Amino acid sequence: TSQTPKPLLPVAGVPAIQRILNQLIKLKGREIVVVTGYRNEEISLFLQNEFGNEIKLVYNERFEDDTNILSVDLGVDALSKPDLGYTIIETDIILETKGWEHFLSFRGDSFSAWATVGCYSEKLTGAAVKVSNAGSVTKIVYAPEYDRDFEGWLKMLGILKVGFKEVEYDRELRKKAINNGIDQYYLNPWLENLDHLPCRTIDLSDYFGGAFNDLVSYKQINQGYEKLLIK
């Protein structure tokens, strides 16, 4: 990413963020906000050339200190009608078209939900959720170092659908968390307040999807998606 910003890294020849936005642009009645930070000018120019006024750009001038909680807050604040609910999407994820269609088919539903792909394991660590038999999320964890206690929990993909009933509390808790520092993830308020932020999962394990945080995972995503497109 010293040469190319992470969102612009090509996956099967198309920048990762463009693959995400190509799916969202199709939606009727949508409002899309993209929050930029590192290499802002380069990313903004690319997005303006590709999507013009179809998206709104917001710059996070504190990106060097922020993990991602402030970026999320800036993006939500920039929405014209956040009270209707919104979806938070990280830009280092790849999901095949059918997976997007499945996730977005729940767009009009009132519940909040985390997208998941696969299960937490020694080879797939990070954020994960434990789900009850009824389908509700009962616990959330962020464990980048493998912990066998979370083996088999559903692995988060990096997409959160916030239903309108949870909007007020989601925004309130995030702003309180930011007052304690921005070097934290946007999932923290949910991790600590599930009693007030009920949610479920939308599992996308039947579709090709994943995130890339290093060169190895990027190559795996890229090669896997190229193979998918050839089929």
Coordinates of all heavy atoms in Angstrom, one line a residue, residues 35-127:
V35 N -15.8 7.5 3.4 CA -14.9 8.2 4.3 C -13.5 7.9 3.9 O -13.1 6.7 3.8 CB -15.2 7.9 5.7 CG1 -14.2 8.7 6.6 CG2 -16.6 8.1 6.1
T36 N -12.7 8.9 3.6 CA -11.3 8.7 3.2 C -10.4 9.2 4.2 O -10.8 10.0 5.1 CB -11.0 9.5 1.9 OG1 -11.2 10.9 2.1 CG2 -12.0 9.1 0.8
G37 N -9.1 8.8 4.1 CA -8.1 9.2 5.1 C -6.7 9.2 4.4 O -6.4 10.1 3.7
Y38 N -6.0 8.1 4.5 CA -4.7 7.9 3.9 C -4.9 8.0 2.4 O -5.8 7.4 1.8 CB -4.2 6.5 4.3 CG -2.9 6.1 3.6 CD1 -1.7 6.7 3.9 CD2 -2.9 5.0 2.7 CE1 -0.5 6.3 3.2 CE2 -1.8 4.6 2.1 CZ -0.6 5.2 2.4 OH 0.6 4.8 1.8
R39 N -4.0 8.8 1.8 CA -3.9 9.0 0.3 C -5.3 9.5 -0.1 O -5.9 9.1 -1.2 CB -3.6 7.7 -0.4 CG -2.2 7.1 0.0 CD -1.0 7.7 -0.6 NE -0.8 7.3 -1.9 CZ -0.2 6.3 -2.3 NH1 0.4 5.5 -1.4 NH2 0.0 6.0 -3.6
N40 N -5.9 10.4 0.6 CA -7.2 11.0 0.3 C -7.4 11.5 -1.1 O -8.3 11.2 -1.8 CB -7.5 12.1 1.3 CG -8.7 13.0 0.9 OD1 -9.8 12.5 0.8 ND2 -8.4 14.3 0.7
E41 N -6.4 12.3 -1.6 CA -6.5 12.9 -2.9 C -6.6 11.9 -4.0 O -7.4 12.0 -4.9 CB -5.4 13.9 -3.1 CG -5.4 15.1 -2.2 CD -4.3 16.1 -2.6 OE1 -3.6 15.8 -3.5 OE2 -4.2 17.1 -1.9
E42 N -5.8 10.9 -3.9 CA -5.7 9.8 -4.9 C -7.0 9.0 -4.9 O -7.6 8.7 -6.0 CB -4.6 8.9 -4.6 CG -4.3 7.8 -5.7 CD -3.1 7.0 -5.4 OE1 -2.3 7.4 -4.5 OE2 -2.9 6.0 -6.0
I43 N -7.5 8.6 -3.8 CA -8.8 7.9 -3.7 C -10.0 8.7 -4.1 O -10.8 8.2 -4.9 CB -9.0 7.3 -2.2 CG1 -7.8 6.3 -1.9 CG2 -10.3 6.6 -2.1 CD1 -7.8 5.9 -0.5
S44 N -10.0 9.9 -3.6 CA -11.1 10.8 -4.0 C -11.2 11.1 -5.5 O -12.3 11.1 -6.1 CB -11.0 12.2 -3.2 OG -11.1 12.0 -1.8
L45 N -10.1 11.3 -6.1 CA -10.0 11.5 -7.6 C -10.6 10.3 -8.3 O -11.4 10.4 -9.3 CB -8.6 11.9 -8.0 CG -8.4 12.1 -9.5 CD1 -9.3 13.3 -9.9 CD2 -7.0 12.4 -9.8
F46 N -10.1 9.1 -7.9 CA -10.6 7.9 -8.5 C -12.1 7.8 -8.4 O -12.8 7.5 -9.4 CB -9.9 6.7 -7.9 CG -10.5 5.4 -8.4 CD1 -10.1 4.9 -9.6 CD2 -11.4 4.7 -7.6 CE1 -10.6 3.7 -10.1 CE2 -11.9 3.5 -8.1 CZ -11.5 3.0 -9.3
L47 N -12.6 8.0 -7.2 CA -14.0 7.8 -7.0 C -14.9 8.8 -7.7 O -16.0 8.5 -8.2 CB -14.3 7.9 -5.5 CG -13.7 6.7 -4.6 CD1 -14.0 6.9 -3.1 CD2 -14.3 5.4 -5.1
Q48 N -14.4 10.1 -7.7 CA -15.1 11.1 -8.5 C -15.2 10.8 -10.0 O -16.2 11.0 -10.6 CB -14.5 12.5 -8.2 CG -14.7 13.0 -6.8 CD -13.9 14.2 -6.5 OE1 -12.9 14.5 -7.1 NE2 -14.2 14.9 -5.4
N49 N -14.1 10.3 -10.5 CA -14.0 9.9 -11.9 C -14.9 8.8 -12.2 O -15.6 8.7 -13.3 CB -12.6 9.6 -12.4 CG -11.7 10.8 -12.4 OD1 -12.2 12.0 -12.6 ND2 -10.4 10.6 -12.3
E50 N -15.0 7.8 -11.3 CA -15.8 6.6 -11.6 C -17.3 6.8 -11.2 O -18.2 6.3 -12.0 CB -15.3 5.4 -10.7 CG -13.9 4.9 -11.2 CD -14.0 4.2 -12.6 OE1 -15.1 3.6 -12.9 OE2 -13.0 4.3 -13.3
F51 N -17.6 7.5 -10.2 CA -19.0 7.6 -9.7 C -19.6 9.0 -9.6 O -20.8 9.1 -9.4 CB -19.0 6.9 -8.3 CG -18.6 5.5 -8.3 CD1 -17.3 5.1 -7.9 CD2 -19.4 4.5 -8.8 CE1 -16.9 3.8 -7.9 CE2 -19.0 3.1 -8.9 CZ -17.7 2.8 -8.4
G52 N -18.8 10.0 -9.8 CA -19.3 11.4 -9.8 C -20.1 11.7 -8.6 O -19.8 11.4 -7.4
N53 N -21.3 12.3 -8.8 CA -22.2 12.7 -7.7 C -23.1 11.6 -7.1 O -24.0 11.8 -6.4 CB -23.0 13.9 -8.1 CG -23.9 13.6 -9.3 OD1 -24.0 12.4 -9.7 ND2 -24.6 14.6 -9.8
E54 N -22.8 10.3 -7.6 CA -23.5 9.2 -7.0 C -23.1 8.9 -5.6 O -23.8 8.2 -4.9 CB -23.3 7.9 -7.9 CG -23.8 8.0 -9.3 CD -25.3 7.7 -9.4 OE1 -25.9 7.5 -8.3 OE2 -25.8 7.7 -10.5
I55 N -22.0 9.4 -5.2 CA -21.5 9.2 -3.8 C -21.1 10.5 -3.2 O -20.9 11.5 -3.9 CB -20.3 8.2 -3.7 CG1 -19.1 8.8 -4.5 CG2 -20.7 6.9 -4.3 CD1 -17.8 8.0 -4.3
K56 N -21.1 10.5 -1.8 CA -20.6 11.7 -1.1 C -19.3 11.3 -0.4 O -19.1 10.3 0.2 CB -21.6 12.1 0.0 CG -21.2 13.3 0.8 CD -22.2 13.5 2.0 CE -23.5 13.9 1.5 NZ -24.4 14.3 2.7
L57 N -18.3 12.2 -0.5 CA -17.0 12.0 0.1 C -16.8 12.8 1.4 O -17.1 14.0 1.4 CB -15.9 12.3 -0.9 CG -15.8 11.5 -2.2 CD1 -14.8 12.0 -3.1 CD2 -15.4 10.0 -1.8
V58 N -16.3 12.1 2.4 CA -16.0 12.8 3.7 C -14.5 12.4 4.0 O -14.1 11.3 4.0 CB -16.9 12.3 4.8 CG1 -16.5 12.9 6.1 CG2 -18.4 12.7 4.4
Y59 N -13.8 13.4 4.5 CA -12.4 13.2 4.8 C -12.2 13.2 6.3 O -12.6 14.1 7.0 CB -11.5 14.3 4.2 CG -10.0 14.3 4.6 CD1 -9.3 13.2 4.3 CD2 -9.4 15.4 5.2 CE1 -7.9 13.1 4.7 CE2 -8.1 15.3 5.5 CZ -7.3 14.2 5.3 OH -6.0 14.2 5.7
N60 N -11.5 12.1 6.8 CA -11.2 12.0 8.2 C -9.8 12.5 8.4 O -8.8 11.8 8.1 CB -11.3 10.5 8.6 CG -10.9 10.3 10.1 OD1 -10.6 11.2 10.8 ND2 -10.9 9.0 10.5
E61 N -9.6 13.7 8.8 CA -8.3 14.3 9.0 C -7.5 13.7 10.1 O -6.3 13.9 10.2 CB -8.4 15.8 9.2 CG -9.2 16.2 10.4 CD -9.3 17.7 10.5 OE1 -9.2 18.4 9.5 OE2 -9.6 18.2 11.6
R62 N -8.1 12.9 11.0 CA -7.4 12.3 12.1 C -7.2 10.8 11.8 O -7.0 10.0 12.7 CB -8.3 12.4 13.4 CG -8.5 13.9 13.8 CD -9.4 14.0 15.0 NE -8.8 13.4 16.2 CZ -9.4 13.1 17.3 NH1 -10.7 13.4 17.4 NH2 -8.8 12.6 18.3
F63 N -7.1 10.4 10.5 CA -7.1 9.0 10.1 C -5.8 8.3 10.7 O -5.9 7.1 11.0 CB -7.1 8.9 8.6 CG -5.8 9.3 7.9 CD1 -4.8 8.4 7.7 CD2 -5.7 10.6 7.5 CE1 -3.6 8.9 7.1 CE2 -4.5 11.1 6.9 CZ -3.5 10.2 6.6
E64 N -4.7 9.0 10.9 CA -3.5 8.4 11.4 C -3.7 7.9 12.8 O -3.0 6.9 13.2 CB -2.4 9.4 11.3 CG -1.9 9.7 9.9 CD -0.7 10.6 9.9 OE1 -0.8 11.7 10.4 OE2 0.3 10.1 9.3
D65 N -4.6 8.5 13.6 CA -4.8 8.1 15.0 C -6.0 7.2 15.1 O -6.2 6.5 16.2 CB -5.0 9.3 15.9 CG -3.7 10.2 15.9 OD1 -2.6 9.7 15.9 OD2 -3.9 11.4 15.7
D66 N -6.8 7.1 14.1 CA -8.1 6.4 14.2 C -7.9 5.0 13.7 O -7.3 4.7 12.7 CB -9.1 7.1 13.3 CG -10.5 6.5 13.3 OD1 -10.9 6.0 14.3 OD2 -11.1 6.6 12.2
T67 N -8.6 4.0 14.5 CA -8.6 2.6 14.0 C -9.7 2.6 12.9 O -9.5 2.2 11.8 CB -8.9 1.7 15.1 OG1 -7.8 1.7 16.0 CG2 -9.0 0.2 14.6
N68 N -10.9 2.8 13.3 CA -12.0 3.1 12.3 C -13.3 3.6 13.0 O -14.2 3.9 12.2 CB -12.3 1.8 11.5 CG -12.8 0.6 12.3 OD1 -13.3 0.8 13.4 ND2 -12.7 -0.6 11.8
I69 N -13.3 3.8 14.3 CA -14.5 4.2 14.9 C -14.9 5.7 14.5 O -16.1 6.0 14.4 CB -14.4 4.1 16.5 CG1 -15.8 4.2 17.1 CG2 -13.4 5.1 17.1 CD1 -15.9 3.8 18.5
L70 N -13.9 6.6 14.4 CA -14.2 7.9 14.0 C -14.6 8.0 12.5 O -15.6 8.7 12.2 CB -13.0 8.8 14.2 CG -13.1 10.3 13.8 CD1 -14.3 10.9 14.6 CD2 -11.8 11.1 14.0
S71 N -14.0 7.2 11.7 CA -14.5 7.2 10.3 C -15.9 6.8 10.2 O -16.7 7.4 9.4 CB -13.6 6.2 9.5 OG -12.3 6.8 9.2
V72 N -16.3 5.8 10.9 CA -17.7 5.4 10.9 C -18.6 6.5 11.4 O -19.7 6.8 10.8 CB -17.9 4.1 11.7 CG1 -19.4 3.8 12.0 CG2 -17.3 2.9 11.1
D73 N -18.2 7.2 12.4 CA -19.0 8.2 13.0 C -19.2 9.4 12.0 O -20.3 9.9 11.8 CB -18.4 8.7 14.3 CG -19.4 9.4 15.2 OD1 -20.5 8.8 15.5 OD2 -19.2 10.6 15.6
L74 N -18.1 9.7 11.3 CA -18.2 10.8 10.3 C -19.1 10.4 9.2 O -19.8 11.2 8.7 CB -16.8 11.1 9.8 CG -15.8 11.8 10.8 CD1 -14.4 11.8 10.2 CD2 -16.2 13.2 11.2
G75 N -19.0 9.2 8.8 CA -19.8 8.7 7.7 C -21.3 8.7 8.0 O -22.1 9.2 7.2
V76 N -21.6 8.2 9.2 CA -23.1 8.2 9.6 C -23.6 9.7 9.8 O -24.7 10.0 9.4 CB -23.2 7.4 11.0 CG1 -24.6 7.6 11.5 CG2 -22.9 6.0 10.7
D77 N -22.8 10.5 10.4 CA -23.2 11.9 10.5 C -23.4 12.6 9.2 O -24.2 13.6 9.1 CB -22.1 12.7 11.3 CG -22.1 12.4 12.8 OD1 -23.1 11.8 13.3 OD2 -21.2 12.9 13.5
A78 N -22.8 12.2 8.1 CA -22.9 12.8 6.8 C -24.2 12.3 6.1 O -24.6 12.9 5.1 CB -21.7 12.5 6.0
L79 N -24.9 11.3 6.6 CA -26.1 10.8 6.0 C -27.2 11.8 6.2 O -27.3 12.5 7.3 CB -26.5 9.5 6.6 CG -25.6 8.3 6.2 CD1 -26.0 7.1 7.1 CD2 -25.7 7.9 4.8
S80 N -28.1 12.0 5.2 CA -29.2 13.0 5.3 C -30.3 12.4 6.2 O -31.0 13.2 6.9 CB -29.7 13.3 4.0 OG -30.2 12.2 3.3
K81 N -30.5 11.1 6.3 CA -31.5 10.5 7.1 C -31.0 9.2 7.8 O -31.5 8.1 7.6 CB -32.7 10.1 6.2 CG -33.4 11.3 5.5 CD -34.6 10.9 4.7 CE -35.2 12.1 4.0 NZ -36.4 11.7 3.2
P82 N -30.0 9.4 8.7 CA -29.5 8.2 9.4 C -30.5 7.5 10.3 O -30.4 6.3 10.6 CB -28.4 8.8 10.2 CG -28.7 10.3 10.4 CD -29.4 10.7 9.1
D83 N -31.6 8.2 10.7 CA -32.6 7.7 11.5 C -33.3 6.5 10.9 O -34.0 5.7 11.6 CB -33.6 8.7 12.0 CG -34.2 9.5 10.8 OD1 -33.5 10.1 10.1 OD2 -35.5 9.5 10.7
L84 N -33.2 6.4 9.6 CA -33.9 5.3 8.8 C -33.1 4.0 8.9 O -33.6 3.0 8.5 CB -34.1 5.7 7.4 CG -35.0 6.9 7.1 CD1 -35.1 7.2 5.6 CD2 -36.4 6.7 7.8
G85 N -31.9 4.1 9.4 CA -31.0 2.9 9.4 C -29.9 3.1 8.4 O -30.1 3.9 7.4
Y86 N -28.9 2.3 8.5 CA -27.7 2.4 7.6 C -26.9 1.1 7.6 O -27.0 0.3 8.5 CB -26.9 3.6 7.9 CG -26.6 3.8 9.4 CD1 -25.7 3.1 10.1 CD2 -27.4 4.8 10.1 CE1 -25.5 3.3 11.4 CE2 -27.3 5.0 11.4 CZ -26.3 4.3 12.1 OH -26.1 4.5 13.5
T87 N -26.0 1.0 6.6 CA -25.1 -0.2 6.6 C -23.7 0.3 6.5 O -23.4 1.2 5.7 CB -25.4 -1.0 5.4 OG1 -26.7 -1.6 5.5 CG2 -24.4 -2.2 5.3
I88 N -22.9 -0.2 7.4 CA -21.4 0.2 7.5 C -20.6 -0.9 6.8 O -20.8 -2.1 7.1 CB -21.0 0.3 9.0 CG1 -21.8 1.4 9.7 CG2 -19.5 0.6 9.1 CD1 -21.8 1.3 11.2
I89 N -19.8 -0.5 5.8 CA -19.1 -1.5 5.0 C -17.6 -1.1 5.0 O -17.2 0.0 4.6 CB -19.6 -1.5 3.6 CG1 -21.1 -1.9 3.6 CG2 -18.8 -2.6 2.7 CD1 -21.7 -1.7 2.2
E90 N -16.8 -2.0 5.5 CA -15.3 -1.8 5.4 C -14.8 -2.0 4.0 O -15.4 -2.8 3.2 CB -14.6 -2.8 6.4 CG -15.0 -2.5 7.8 CD -14.4 -3.5 8.8 OE1 -13.2 -3.9 8.6 OE2 -15.0 -3.9 9.8
T91 N -13.8 -1.3 3.6 CA -13.4 -1.3 2.2 C -12.3 -2.3 1.8 O -11.7 -2.3 0.7 CB -12.9 0.1 1.7 OG1 -11.9 0.5 2.6 CG2 -14.1 1.1 1.8
D92 N -12.0 -3.2 2.8 CA -11.0 -4.3 2.5 C -11.7 -5.7 2.3 O -11.1 -6.7 2.6 CB -9.9 -4.3 3.5 CG -10.4 -4.7 4.9 OD1 -11.6 -4.7 5.1 OD2 -9.6 -4.9 5.8
I93 N -12.9 -5.6 1.9 CA -13.7 -6.9 1.8 C -14.0 -7.1 0.3 O -14.2 -6.2 -0.5 CB -14.9 -6.9 2.6 CG1 -16.0 -5.9 2.1 CG2 -14.6 -6.7 4.1 CD1 -17.3 -6.1 2.8
I94 N -14.1 -8.4 0.0 CA -14.6 -8.8 -1.3 C -15.7 -9.8 -1.1 O -15.6 -10.8 -0.3 CB -13.4 -9.4 -2.2 CG1 -12.5 -8.3 -2.6 CG2 -14.0 -10.2 -3.4 CD1 -13.1 -7.3 -3.6
L95 N -16.8 -9.6 -1.9 CA -17.9 -10.5 -1.8 C -18.5 -10.7 -3.2 O -18.7 -9.7 -3.9 CB -19.0 -10.0 -0.8 CG -20.3 -10.8 -0.6 CD1 -20.0 -12.1 0.0 CD2 -21.3 -10.0 0.2
E96 N -18.8 -11.9 -3.6 CA -19.3 -12.1 -4.9 C -20.7 -11.5 -5.1 O -21.4 -11.3 -4.1 CB -19.3 -13.6 -5.3 CG -20.3 -14.5 -4.5 CD -20.4 -15.9 -5.1 OE1 -20.9 -15.9 -6.2 OE2 -20.1 -16.8 -4.4
T97 N -21.1 -11.3 -6.3 CA -22.3 -10.6 -6.6 C -23.5 -11.2 -5.9 O -24.4 -10.6 -5.3 CB -22.6 -10.5 -8.1 OG1 -21.5 -9.7 -8.7 CG2 -23.9 -9.8 -8.4
K98 N -23.6 -12.6 -6.0 CA -24.8 -13.3 -5.4 C -24.8 -13.1 -3.9 O -25.9 -13.0 -3.2 CB -24.7 -14.8 -5.7 CG -25.0 -15.0 -7.2 CD -25.0 -16.5 -7.5 CE -25.3 -16.8 -8.9 NZ -25.2 -18.3 -9.2
G99 N -23.6 -13.0 -3.3 CA -23.5 -12.7 -1.8 C -24.1 -11.3 -1.5 O -24.8 -11.2 -0.5
W100 N -23.7 -10.3 -2.3 CA -24.2 -9.0 -2.1 C -25.7 -9.0 -2.2 O -26.4 -8.4 -1.4 CB -23.6 -8.0 -3.1 CG -22.2 -7.5 -2.7 CD1 -21.0 -7.7 -3.3 CD2 -21.9 -6.7 -1.5 NE1 -20.0 -7.1 -2.6 CE2 -20.6 -6.4 -1.5 CE3 -22.7 -6.1 -0.5 CZ2 -19.9 -5.7 -0.6 CZ3 -22.1 -5.3 0.4 CH2 -20.7 -5.1 0.4
E101 N -26.2 -9.6 -3.3 CA -27.7 -9.7 -3.5 C -28.4 -10.3 -2.3 O -29.5 -9.8 -1.9 CB -27.9 -10.4 -4.8 CG -27.5 -9.7 -6.0 CD -27.6 -10.5 -7.3 OE1 -27.9 -11.8 -7.2 OE2 -27.4 -10.0 -8.4
H102 N -27.8 -11.4 -1.7 CA -28.4 -12.0 -0.6 C -28.4 -11.0 0.6 O -29.5 -10.8 1.3 CB -27.7 -13.3 -0.2 CG -28.3 -14.0 1.0 ND1 -29.5 -14.6 0.9 CD2 -27.8 -14.2 2.2 CE1 -29.8 -15.1 2.1 NE2 -28.8 -14.9 2.9
F103 N -27.3 -10.4 0.9 CA -27.2 -9.5 2.1 C -28.2 -8.3 1.9 O -28.9 -8.0 2.8 CB -25.8 -9.0 2.3 CG -25.7 -8.1 3.5 CD1 -25.5 -8.6 4.7 CD2 -25.8 -6.7 3.3 CE1 -25.4 -7.8 5.8 CE2 -25.7 -5.9 4.4 CZ -25.5 -6.4 5.7
L104 N -28.1 -7.7 0.7 CA -28.9 -6.5 0.5 C -30.4 -6.8 0.3 O -31.3 -5.9 0.4 CB -28.4 -5.8 -0.8 CG -27.0 -5.3 -0.7 CD1 -26.5 -4.8 -2.0 CD2 -26.9 -4.1 0.4
S105 N -30.8 -8.1 0.2 CA -32.2 -8.4 0.1 C -32.9 -8.2 1.5 O -34.1 -8.1 1.6 CB -32.4 -9.9 -0.3 OG -32.0 -10.8 0.8
F106 N -32.1 -8.0 2.6 CA -32.6 -7.7 3.9 C -32.6 -6.2 4.2 O -32.9 -5.8 5.3 CB -31.8 -8.5 5.0 CG -31.9 -9.9 4.9 CD1 -30.9 -10.7 4.2 CD2 -32.9 -10.6 5.4 CE1 -30.9 -12.0 4.2 CE2 -33.0 -12.0 5.3 CZ -32.0 -12.7 4.7
R107 N -32.2 -5.4 3.2 CA -32.0 -4.0 3.4 C -33.2 -3.3 4.0 O -33.1 -2.4 4.8 CB -31.7 -3.4 2.0 CG -31.4 -1.9 2.0 CD -30.9 -1.4 0.7 NE -30.9 0.0 0.5 CZ -31.6 0.7 -0.3 NH1 -32.4 0.1 -1.2 NH2 -31.5 2.0 -0.4
G108 N -34.4 -3.7 3.6 CA -35.6 -3.0 4.0 C -36.1 -3.5 5.4 O -37.1 -3.0 5.9
D109 N -35.5 -4.6 5.9 CA -36.0 -5.2 7.2 C -35.5 -4.3 8.3 O -34.4 -3.7 8.3 CB -35.5 -6.6 7.3 CG -36.1 -7.5 6.3 OD1 -37.2 -7.1 5.7 OD2 -35.6 -8.6 6.0
S110 N -36.2 -4.3 9.4 CA -35.9 -3.4 10.5 C -34.8 -3.9 11.5 O -34.2 -3.1 12.2 CB -37.2 -3.2 11.4 OG -37.6 -4.4 11.9
F111 N -34.4 -5.2 11.4 CA -33.4 -5.7 12.4 C -32.0 -5.3 12.0 O -31.7 -4.9 10.9 CB -33.5 -7.2 12.4 CG -33.2 -7.9 11.1 CD1 -31.9 -8.1 10.7 CD2 -34.2 -8.4 10.3 CE1 -31.6 -8.8 9.5 CE2 -33.9 -9.0 9.1 CZ -32.6 -9.2 8.7
S112 N -31.1 -5.3 13.0 CA -29.7 -5.1 12.9 C -29.0 -6.4 12.7 O -29.4 -7.4 13.3 CB -29.1 -4.3 14.1 OG -29.7 -3.0 14.2
A113 N -27.9 -6.4 11.9 CA -27.3 -7.7 11.6 C -25.8 -7.5 11.2 O -25.5 -6.5 10.5 CB -28.0 -8.4 10.5
W114 N -25.0 -8.5 11.6 CA -23.6 -8.5 11.1 C -23.5 -9.6 10.0 O -24.0 -10.7 10.1 CB -22.7 -8.9 12.3 CG -22.6 -8.0 13.4 CD1 -23.4 -7.9 14.5 CD2 -21.7 -6.9 13.5 NE1 -23.1 -6.8 15.3 CE2 -22.0 -6.2 14.7 CE3 -20.6 -6.4 12.7 CZ2 -21.3 -5.1 15.2 CZ3 -19.9 -5.3 13.2 CH2 -20.3 -4.7 14.4
A115 N -22.8 -9.3 9.0 CA -22.5 -10.3 7.9 C -21.4 -11.2 8.4 O -20.4 -10.7 9.1 CB -22.0 -9.6 6.6
T116 N -21.5 -12.5 8.1 CA -20.5 -13.4 8.6 C -20.1 -14.3 7.4 O -21.0 -14.6 6.5 CB -21.0 -14.3 9.7 OG1 -22.2 -15.0 9.4 CG2 -21.2 -13.4 11.0
V117 N -18.9 -14.8 7.4 CA -18.4 -15.8 6.4 C -17.5 -16.7 7.1 O -16.5 -16.3 7.6 CB -17.7 -15.1 5.2 CG1 -17.0 -16.1 4.3 CG2 -18.7 -14.3 4.4
G118 N -17.9 -18.0 7.1 CA -17.0 -19.0 7.7 C -17.0 -18.9 9.2 O -17.8 -18.2 9.8
C119 N -16.1 -19.6 9.8 CA -16.0 -19.7 11.3 C -14.6 -19.3 11.8 O -13.6 -19.5 11.1 CB -16.3 -21.1 11.8 SG -18.0 -21.6 11.5
Y120 N -14.6 -18.8 13.0 CA -13.3 -18.5 13.7 C -12.5 -19.8 13.8 O -13.0 -20.8 14.2 CB -13.6 -17.9 15.0 CG -12.4 -17.4 15.8 CD1 -11.9 -16.1 15.7 CD2 -11.6 -18.3 16.6 CE1 -10.8 -15.6 16.4 CE2 -10.5 -17.8 17.3 CZ -10.1 -16.5 17.2 OH -9.0 -16.1 17.8
S121 N -11.2 -19.7 13.5 CA -10.3 -20.8 13.6 C -8.9 -20.3 13.7 O -8.6 -19.1 13.6 CB -10.5 -21.7 12.3 OG -10.0 -21.0 11.2
E122 N -8.0 -21.2 13.8 CA -6.5 -20.9 13.9 C -6.1 -20.1 12.6 O -5.2 -19.3 12.7 CB -5.7 -22.1 14.1 CG -4.3 -21.8 14.5 CD -3.6 -23.1 15.0 OE1 -4.2 -24.2 15.0 OE2 -2.4 -23.0 15.4
K123 N -6.7 -20.4 11.5 CA -6.4 -19.8 10.2 C -7.2 -18.5 9.9 O -7.0 -17.8 9.0 CB -6.4 -20.8 9.1 CG -5.4 -21.9 9.2 CD -5.5 -22.8 8.0 CE -4.5 -23.9 8.0 NZ -4.5 -24.8 6.8
L124 N -8.3 -18.3 10.7 CA -9.2 -17.3 10.4 C -9.6 -16.6 11.7 O -10.6 -16.9 12.4 CB -10.5 -17.8 9.7 CG -11.4 -16.8 9.1 CD1 -10.7 -16.0 8.0 CD2 -12.6 -17.5 8.4
T125 N -8.8 -15.7 12.2 CA -9.0 -15.0 13.5 C -9.6 -13.6 13.2 O -9.8 -13.2 12.1 CB -7.7 -14.9 14.2 OG1 -6.7 -14.1 13.4 CG2 -7.1 -16.2 14.5
G126 N -9.8 -12.9 14.3 CA -10.3 -11.5 14.3 C -11.6 -11.4 15.0 O -11.8 -12.0 16.0
A127 N -12.5 -10.6 14.4 CA -13.9 -10.4 15.0 C -14.8 -11.6 14.7 O -14.8 -12.1 13.6 CB -14.5 -9.1 14.5

